[in-house]
């Protein structure tokens, strides 16, 4: 960041009648992270405290910077006079006041308003020259030690380099946060990679999909029909498919998707797919049985998913067949005596199907326990653990989410952890425990197994030692995992060699719960009862927008007032989809306003279209193996504990009681979680849930979606919406299975 001005052009050469405005960027009121469009307020030095509204692409401009803007004057019917920016130049401020404002804006990590005041008081108008050319002199400033001085100098250099990358990327419309991420990934090689290998970005940099990389590639002159582009497009289409839960795509479907995406000749796509199949880092083509025993299909896999499917099936077969047994005492146990002892410990007898499940878990190397709410899955798991520990077995308990692990620990009285912590995942995603260094366990119990995706299940099963017993517990009628695969359903398929027990009897105590009774009604295709119950309500509202507003009022005000619930901790809004007036995205804004409104004394950070505040309920929206002790994973929920403007860092305390830090340029990994989609709520349980069920979400309304939402509630369910939408959800059975071949591989077909 030299004192030479840096010119930025958003739309090419400005047209006639352009004007020039100079001023200091005071605040950004809106910024679209995707296209850089910004609404900002600028101090032009006219005095009287008047600020000018400027709009346009101000990609990379920072609060406190002096800007020289070219553009046109205009008027907005609501906001009055404003200036539309077409090009802008940043100029380093020349006055002490300007320098102080610039440094104190949070631009340089480690310098906040107080430190900016001290530095400028000491160095005056030479401040920026000192930081640029003699940063070691910063130690002269009271309160700045060598460590912090070094950190400030490094942050200044990084800022300078990022600006250069931004100047280059602005021409192709890459947002500020993406430019920062590209720089962090490639550093000095950033411009070279972007210019020469733009499709690498889609694979290497989170937040850049194929479409952004394709836009960049076009801008740097890569031809529309380049084989490099087509191969990247094919891999993108497969990647999109895994995001939708598929482990592979049939070849014909993949080719059709790629032709539509790339707008190129079918023959070119076929040729490029053949080349990718020969590439050891490309794709795998393999013939697998079609759905429901139909004709074989040619499956095309991304390599990690093919490896994981082969590995998981092979490992489960090995565990089932091994003659080793780490709990041999249960082979010839006197079950009547053992179950009598157990009843004395727990104070209750097991039902016959629960007894069968307990025996299976303790005698079979791999087993599955499934069933709906109120059928005694939890009590059965507790019984398995009690008997195993009575025989001095080493028991490890895990679940895919922090909340589910906490619940498992409370239920069994034994320690439980997330699968990620159990395996001690390391940066990069490798596990500390695997086939070569297995877990020290005689019994491994995994709850909420419907949430296990293919990749995580494979990591887990690889770490189970031969001879140990592995019990999967989950409700197979819930939604499948967010990640690719349908592991629990495949384990329960007719072809699967894994033995299983399905609990079907709803216990009398559970029958008194409207939540449990209605969950079973929904699962069997009957509409829920919504009158005369103390724990299950329907607020009828046919208009989607009004239903969204009513759901917010119920969650933020009515339920807390009537039942004494904490709206942040005890009440969760679960929406069928993210978009729309009753979608999780829109409702989060309204709920934040109601539960954590802005206050002058409450720190906050605006990022793109969102504002983060201390006290906000947030969720992680990607797997990040670099954060926390063992990674932070998609769906992890927490509360914002701290916002440090000087260090440009936000701290979240997760539901695993771990403090995780986020730099401000990483905030697109977080979303607000006052409302979440039903998919994202899997594995969690809340005292009360509020579910908008509206015709606006028509395409998403399916039986297993509504069933999953209702079964998230411990005590109370409130549906808000139309009877028509509710009927649609109950009637509609989920369309088809995901593309996975795990069930066939488990049966011994297609494992080589």
């Amino acid at each position: 960041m030299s004192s030479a001005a840096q010119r930025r052009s958003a739309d090419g050469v400005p047209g006639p009648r352009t004007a020039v405005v100079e001023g200091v960027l005071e605040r950004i009121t809106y910024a679209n992270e995707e296209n850089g469009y910004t609404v900002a307020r600028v101090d032009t030095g006219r005095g009287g405290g008047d600020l000018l509204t400027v709009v346009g692409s101000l990609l990379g401009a920072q609060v406190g910077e002096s800007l020289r803007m070219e553009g046109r004057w205009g008027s907005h019917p609501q906001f009055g006079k404003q200036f539309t920016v077409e090009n802008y130049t940043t100029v380093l401020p020349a006055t002490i006041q300007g320098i102080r404002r610039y440094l104190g804006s949070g631009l340089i990590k480690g310098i906040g308003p107080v430190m900016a005041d001290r530095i400028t008081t000491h160095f005056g108008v030479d401040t920026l020259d000192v930081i640029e050319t003699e940063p070691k002199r910063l130690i002269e400033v009271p309160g700045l030690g060598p460590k912090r001085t070094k950190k400030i100098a490094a942050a200044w250099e990084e800022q300078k380099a990022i600006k250069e990358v931004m100047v280059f990327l602005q021409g192709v419309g890459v947002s500020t946060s993406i430019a920062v991420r590209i720089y962090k990934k490639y550093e000095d090689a950033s411009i070279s990679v972007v210019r020469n290998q733009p499709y690498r970005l889609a694979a290497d940099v989170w937040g850049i999909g194929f479409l952004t990389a394709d836009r960049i590639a076009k801008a740097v002159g890569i031809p529309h029909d380049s084989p490099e582009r087509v191969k990247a497009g094919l891999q993108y289409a497969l990647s999109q498919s895994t995001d939708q839960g598929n482990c592979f795509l049939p070849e014909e479907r993949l080719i059709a998707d790629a032709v539509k995406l790339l707008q190129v000749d079918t023959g070119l796509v076929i040729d490029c797919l053949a080349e990718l199949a020969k590439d050891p880092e490309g794709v795998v083509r393999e013939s697998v049985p079609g759905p429901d025993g139909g004709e074989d299909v040619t499956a095309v896999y991304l390599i990690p998913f093919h490896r994981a499917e082969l590995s998981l099936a092979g490992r489960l077969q090995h565990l089932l067949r091994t003659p080793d047994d780490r709990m041999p005492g249960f082979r010839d146990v006197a079950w009547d005596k053992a179950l009598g002892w157990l009843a004395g410990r727990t104070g209750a007898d097991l039902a016959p199907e629960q007894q069968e499940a307990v025996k299976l878990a303790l005698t079979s190397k791999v087993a599955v326990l499934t069933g709906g709410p109120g059928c005694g899955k939890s009590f059965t798991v507790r019984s398995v653990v009690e008997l195993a520990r009575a025989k001095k077995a080493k028991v490890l308990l895990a679940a895919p989410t922090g909340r589910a692990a906490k619940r498992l620990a409370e239920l069994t009285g034994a320690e439980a952890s997330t699968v990620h912590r159990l395996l001690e995942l390391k940066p990069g995603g490798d596990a500390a425990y695997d086939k070569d260094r297995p877990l020290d366990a005689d019994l491994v119990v995994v709850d909420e197994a419907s949430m296990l995706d293919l990749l995580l299940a494979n990591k887990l099963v690889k770490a189970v030692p031969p001879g140990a017993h592995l019990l999967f517990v989950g409700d197979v009628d819930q939604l499948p995992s967010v990640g690719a695969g349908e592991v629990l359903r495949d384990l329960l398929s007719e072809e699967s060699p894994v033995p299983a027990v399905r609990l079907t009897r709803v216990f009398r105590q559970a029958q008194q719960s409207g939540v449990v009774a209605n969950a079973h009604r929904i699962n069997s295709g009957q509409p829920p009862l919504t009158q005369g119950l103390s724990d299950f309500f329907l607020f009828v509202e046919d208009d989607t927008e009004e239903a969204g507003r009513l759901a917010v009022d119920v969650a933020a005000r009515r339920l807390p007032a009537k039942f004494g619930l904490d709206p942040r901790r005890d009440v969760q809004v679960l929406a069928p989809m993210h978009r729309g007036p009753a979608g999780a995205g829109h409702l989060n804004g309204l709920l934040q306003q109601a539960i954590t409104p802005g206050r002058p004394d409450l720190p906050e950070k605006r990022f793109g279209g969102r504002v983060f505040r201390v006290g906000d309920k947030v969720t992680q929206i990607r797997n990040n193996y670099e954060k926390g002790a063992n990674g932070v994973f998609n769906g992890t929920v927490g509360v914002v504990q701290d916002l440090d403007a000087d260090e440009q860092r936000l701290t979240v305390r997760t539901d695993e009681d771990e403090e995780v830090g986020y730099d401000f340029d990483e905030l697109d990994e977080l979303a607000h979680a006052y409302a979440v989609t039903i998919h994202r709520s899997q594995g969690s349980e809340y005292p009360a849930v509020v579910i908008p069920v509206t015709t606006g979400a028509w395409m998403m309304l399916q039986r297993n979606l509504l069933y999953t939402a209702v079964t998230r509630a411990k005590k109370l369910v409130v549906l808000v919406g139309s009877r028509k939408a509710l009927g649609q959800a109950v009637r509609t059975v989920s369309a088809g299975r995901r593309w996975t071949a795990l069930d066939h591989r488990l049966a011994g077909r297609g494992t080589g």
Side-chain angles (χ1 to χ4, degrees):
M1 197 181 313
S2 67
S3 54
Q6 296 172 334
R7 182 179 172 85
R8 326 280 179 90
S9 173
D11 301 305
V13 179
R17 298 192 307 281
T18 57
V20 175
V21 170
E22 293 188 359
V24 175
L25 182 58
E26 286 291 322
R27 67 174 177 269
I28 292 172
T29 53
Y30 171 79
N32 184 317
E33 285 294 318
E34 292 304 310
N35 59 22
Y37 180 80
T38 304
V39 179
R41 302 279 279 162
V42 170
D43 183 354
T44 57
R46 287 177 298 181
D50 287 346
L51 298 178
L52 169 68
T53 298
V54 299
V55 299
S57 182
L58 286 169
L59 186 71
Q62 301 280 354
V63 169
E65 284 185 325
S66 296
L67 306 180
R68 186 177 189 277
M69 298 165 288
E70 293 179 20
R72 304 164 198 279
W73 289 102
S75 184
H76 187 279
Q78 189 178 345
F79 302 114
K81 189 178 181 183
Q82 62 183 32
F83 188 74
T84 300
V85 181
E86 290 170 346
N87 306 306
Y88 81 91
T89 303
T90 61
V91 185
L92 292 182
T95 65
I96 290 177
Q97 188 181 353
I99 292 167
R100 185 183 295 124
R101 179 82 178 86
Y102 179 63
L103 283 181
S105 66
L107 176 75
I108 304 300
K109 208 180 270 192
I111 303 181
V114 174
M115 191 50 69
D117 192 40
R118 278 194 212 159
I119 295 170
T120 49
T121 300
H122 188 81
F123 293 115
V125 290
D126 297 328
T127 296
L128 299 182
D129 280 338
V130 169
I131 297 174
E132 171 78 24
T133 60
E134 300 177 90
K136 287 180 180 172
R137 284 191 60 200
L138 287 170
I139 203 165
E140 297 170 18
V141 178
L144 273 184
K147 196 173 173 186
R148 201 158 168 203
T149 297
K150 199 173 175 185
K151 196 173 169 187
I152 290 169
W156 179 267
E157 287 300 316
E158 181 178 87
Q159 193 64 34
K160 222 165 49 169
I162 289 170
K163 291 248 178 187
E164 285 175 26
V165 175
M166 282 178 179
V167 170
F168 174 72
L169 290 177
Q170 185 177 10
V172 291
V174 177
S175 73
T176 311
S177 60
I178 296 294
V180 169
R181 207 171 276 135
I182 289 172
Y183 177 78
K184 283 190 170 176
K185 178 71 182 174
Y186 304 117
E187 295 185 336
D188 293 344
S190 297
I191 291 173
S192 169
V193 171
V194 169
R195 188 176 278 132
N196 301 313
Q197 300 169 281
Y199 292 107
R200 263 184 72 185
L201 301 174
D204 292 353
V205 183
W206 185 76
I208 297 188
F210 171 80
L211 301 178
T212 302
D214 200 34
R215 196 168 73 235
I216 294 169
K218 184 179 178 185
V220 298
I222 289 178
H224 184 72
D225 59 357
S226 153
E228 183 192 358
R229 176 176 184 263
V230 177
K231 287 179 197 173
L234 280 160
Q235 289 180 306
Y236 170 72
L238 279 176
S239 174
Q240 286 288 95
S241 175
T242 62
D243 286 348
Q244 289 154 14
N246 297 307
C247 297
F248 68 83
L249 273 184
E251 185 176 45
E252 287 178 11
R253 162 100 175 265
L254 173 61
I255 290 167
D257 287 357
V259 167
K260 188 176 173 187
L261 169 74
L262 299 165
Q263 298 292 298
V264 294
D265 183 64
T266 304
L268 177 60
V269 172
I270 292 169
D271 291 345
C272 288
L273 180 56
E275 282 182 41
L276 268 179
K278 290 177 195 163
D279 182 346
E281 294 181 10
V283 299
V284 174
R285 277 199 300 199
E286 184 185 343
S287 183
V288 301
D292 303 320
E295 281 184 29
D296 284 6
V297 298
T298 301
V300 185
Y301 287 84
L302 289 171
I303 284 169
F305 295 92
H306 184 257
R307 281 185 188 146
E309 207 172 75
L310 279 178
S311 168
L312 178 57
R315 193 74 189 154
L316 284 167
Q317 288 166 337
H318 178 67
L319 290 175
L320 280 165
R321 288 195 300 254
T322 183
D324 300 341
D325 193 345
R326 294 179 64 137
M327 293 200 297
F330 287 104
R331 281 188 209 151
D332 49 10
V333 77
W335 283 107
D336 289 350
K337 191 176 170 187
L339 294 171
W341 174 87
L342 183 66
R345 287 275 295 178
T346 60
D349 288 317
L350 290 167
E353 57 186 13
Q354 289 178 307
Q355 291 182 16
E356 186 192 345
V358 168
K359 291 176 188 176
L360 185 66
L362 296 170
T363 56
S364 176
K365 306 292 173 42
V366 185
V368 177
L369 170 62
T370 189
C375 293
K377 279 199 311 294
S378 297
F379 187 66
T380 306
V381 170
R382 183 183 158 195
S383 301
V384 169
V385 172
E386 288 276 5
L387 281 170
R389 289 166 81 190
K391 290 275 191 185
K392 302 287 186 282
K394 289 177 183 167
V395 181
L396 291 179
L397 305 172
T401 67
R403 280 182 180 233
K406 268 186 184 172
R407 198 168 67 242
L408 186 58
E410 287 162 9
L411 157 78
T412 58
E415 195 179 323
S417 70
T418 61
V419 177
H420 311 101
R421 277 182 186 268
L422 180 71
L423 300 176
E424 291 181 16
L425 292 189
K426 298 177 291 192
D430 291 330
Y433 292 96
D434 57 18
K435 192 167 65 175
D436 300 322
R437 188 197 174 199
L439 295 161
D440 183 16
D442 303 319
L443 170 66
V444 179
V445 179
V446 188
D447 200 8
E448 293 287 356
S450 62
M451 292 185 67
L452 278 180
D453 62 38
L454 174 67
L455 299 181
L456 186 59
N458 180 45
K459 283 185 168 77
L460 171 69
V461 172
K462 271 201 286 197
V464 176
H469 292 228
L470 174 59
L471 176 63
F472 293 101
V473 183
D475 184 348
V476 75
D477 293 322
Q478 285 184 28
L479 290 167
S481 56
V482 174
E486 284 188 298
V487 173
L488 185 62
R489 191 163 291 170
D490 284 338
L491 289 172
L492 287 164
S493 72
E494 285 180 17
E495 296 180 275
S496 170
V498 177
V501 170
R502 182 170 192 140
L503 303 179
T504 54
R505 176 188 153 196
V506 181
F507 285 87
R508 191 178 307 136
Q509 188 182 351
Q511 286 171 359
Q512 294 163 7
S513 158
V515 175
V516 170
N518 276 333
H520 285 280
R521 285 180 67 88
I522 290 164
N523 202 27
S524 62
Q526 297 174 276
L529 303 172
T530 56
Q531 289 178 318
L533 297 172
S534 61
D535 61 351
F536 201 104
F537 304 93
L538 169 65
F539 285 58
V540 177
E541 176 51 72
D542 290 336
D543 181 78
T544 298
E545 205 163 321
E546 282 302 318
R549 279 199 281 268
L550 180 55
V552 169
D553 192 48
V554 168
R557 297 185 188 89
R558 298 193 197 188
L559 287 182
K562 185 172 174 61
F563 295 98
L565 299 171
D566 180 321
R568 190 184 286 107
R569 191 182 61 241
D570 301 330
V571 183
Q572 183 64 54
V573 176
L574 302 177
M577 56 197 289
H578 184 75
R579 292 193 174 91
H586 181 63
L587 297 185
N588 263 317
L590 298 178
L591 285 160
Q592 184 193 34
Q593 227 170 302
I595 297 168
T596 318
R599 300 196 316 259
D601 61 325
L602 192 67
E604 62 177 46
K605 169 63 183 172
R606 187 175 293 275
F607 185 88
R610 298 198 286 268
V611 179
F612 291 96
R613 299 187 180 116
V614 171
D616 269 341
K617 187 175 178 181
V618 292
T619 180
Q620 173 83 8
I621 58 172
R622 68 171 286 225
N623 288 347
N624 188 334
Y625 296 98
E626 316 298 322
K627 286 201 171 296
N630 302 115
V632 180
F633 295 88
N634 191 348
T636 299
V637 175
V639 174
V640 178
Q641 296 285 103
D642 184 49
L643 264 166
D644 188 329
D646 288 7
E647 293 300 319
Q648 297 177 51
R649 199 162 174 79
L650 173 152
T651 305
V652 173
R653 179 172 284 281
T654 71
D655 53 13
E656 291 178 65
D657 291 327
E658 181 178 17
E659 290 205 346
V660 179
Y662 293 80
D663 289 342
F664 283 171
D665 57 37
E666 297 176 312
L667 293 183
D668 52 355
E669 291 191 24
L670 288 177
H672 290 99
Y674 299 101
V676 296
T677 61
I678 295 165
H679 274 91
R680 297 190 71 82
S681 73
Q682 288 169 262
S684 294
E685 208 177 50
Y686 316 93
V689 300
V690 178
I691 311 165
V693 186
T694 68
T695 52
W698 195 256
M699 298 302 291
M700 294 295 292
L701 295 175
Q702 294 174 351
R703 187 181 299 168
N704 62 350
L705 191 84
L706 183 61
Y707 173 74
T708 299
V710 168
T711 55
R712 298 308 87 213
K714 279 194 276 195
K715 298 176 183 169
L716 188 66
V717 171
V718 181
L719 304 177
V720 180
S722 72
R723 294 188 191 279
K724 184 181 177 185
L726 183 57
Q728 164 77 358
V730 171
R731 283 191 305 273
T732 308
V733 178
S734 173
R737 294 282 307 274
R738 293 175 168 189
W739 292 107
T740 153
L742 179 63
D743 51 351
H744 306 299
R745 297 187 198 282
L746 282 168
R749 294 192 278 136
T751 52

